[in-house]
């Protein structure tokens, strides 16, 4: 399981409990609240390590610690405390992760880095937006604004108003994937 997926599960449980309560199903609301508390405790116990938050868990349950842009999702969903992610915030705002056109999935100095690799170093406007949102939530306003601007600047890059799904990690150009992706455009508006 990945931390991002666990964070989505936690957010769903926490959001559905008040809905069940409002519909008069207190039994379901109580169950959802209890499951959310267990999920939150499991995230803290299984994903937080001395080296930071794990990207996911291996099949045997060991944490897979690898710094990526994906910690943004658990941060913005509130599954991870921004105060526990100071090292991540510093790293993600550095040139190792951040290019003028957005956030690389993994750092440029990572041994697995491939600037054209879909998950190995390319820049996703979607992830850049998630990072910006997480930075806003964590009080990292200058970095959040810089990442928002990186996405907004892409509107004039190629076809006016079209936002690439994935950009090259070292060169300011498309990476040959979808040249007009709705979720990339949404990450100019959402943050």
């Amino acid at each position: 399981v990945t931390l991002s997926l666990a964070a989505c599960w936690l957010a769903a449980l926490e959001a559905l409990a008040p809905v069940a309560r409002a519909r008069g199903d207190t039994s379901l609301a109580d169950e959802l609240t209890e499951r959310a508390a267990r999920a939150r405790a499991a995230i803290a116990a299984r994903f937080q390590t001395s080296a930071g938050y794990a990207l996911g868990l291996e099949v045997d349950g060991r944490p897979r610690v690898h710094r990526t842009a994906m910690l943004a999702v658990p941060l913005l969903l509130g599954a991870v405390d921004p105060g526990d992610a100071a090292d991540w915030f510093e790293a993600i705002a550095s040139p190792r992760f951040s290019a003028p056109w957005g956030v690389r999935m993994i750092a440029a100095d990572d041994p697995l880095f491939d600037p054209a690799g879909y998950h190995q170093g390319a820049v996703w406007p979607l992830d850049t937006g998630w990072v910006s949102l997480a930075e806003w939530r964590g009080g990292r306003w200058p970095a959040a604004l810089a990442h928002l601007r990186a996405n907004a600047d892409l509107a004039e890059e190629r076809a006016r108003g079209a936002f690439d799904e994935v950009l090259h990690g070292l060169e300011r150009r498309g990476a040959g994937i979808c040249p007009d992706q709705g979720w990339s455009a949404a990450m100019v508006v959402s943050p």
Side-chain angles (χ1 to χ4, degrees):
V1 67
T2 66
L3 177 54
S4 292
L5 183 59
C8 290
W9 176 246
L10 172 61
L13 291 169
E14 289 179 338
L16 287 173
V19 173
R21 197 165 310 286
R23 294 186 43 85
D25 193 340
T26 48
S27 175
L28 178 59
D30 291 345
E31 178 186 343
L32 291 166
T33 299
E34 189 272 325
R35 284 178 163 217
R38 283 195 335 239
R40 185 170 291 285
I43 286 171
R46 299 181 74 194
F47 289 95
Q48 193 170 7
T49 71
S50 60
Y53 282 95
L55 174 64
L57 301 176
E58 300 290 352
V59 174
D60 64 5
R62 286 180 301 118
R64 184 174 353 123
V65 179
H66 195 93
R67 185 166 285 170
T68 74
M70 291 305 296
L71 186 58
V73 172
L75 280 162
L76 72 93
L77 291 176
V80 170
D81 183 346
D84 294 335
D87 289 347
W88 181 85
F89 280 117
E90 293 299 322
I92 211 75
S94 77
R96 295 174 48 237
F97 273 96
S98 291
W101 55 96
V103 176
R104 297 177 186 95
M105 184 64 76
I106 63 174
D109 60 354
D110 189 303
L112 299 175
F113 179 75
D114 174 1
Y118 199 65
H119 291 289
Q120 291 83 24
V123 169
W124 286 45
L126 174 64
D127 288 312
T128 301
W130 285 343
V131 166
S132 179
L133 285 165
E135 289 167 330
W136 288 115
R137 182 180 181 110
R140 305 292 181 125
W141 302 299
L145 184 57
H147 288 130
L148 171 59
R149 284 184 174 150
N151 265 353
D153 288 348
L154 297 174
E156 301 292 322
E157 289 288 314
R158 281 166 281 292
R160 184 164 287 176
F163 290 82
D164 285 288
E165 178 180 7
V166 180
L167 301 161
H168 194 272
L170 293 178
E171 301 170 17
R172 191 179 186 110
R173 64 178 174 86
I177 314 295
C178 179
D180 190 16
Q181 180 57 262
W183 65 47
S184 296
M187 285 300 139
V188 174
V189 176
S190 188

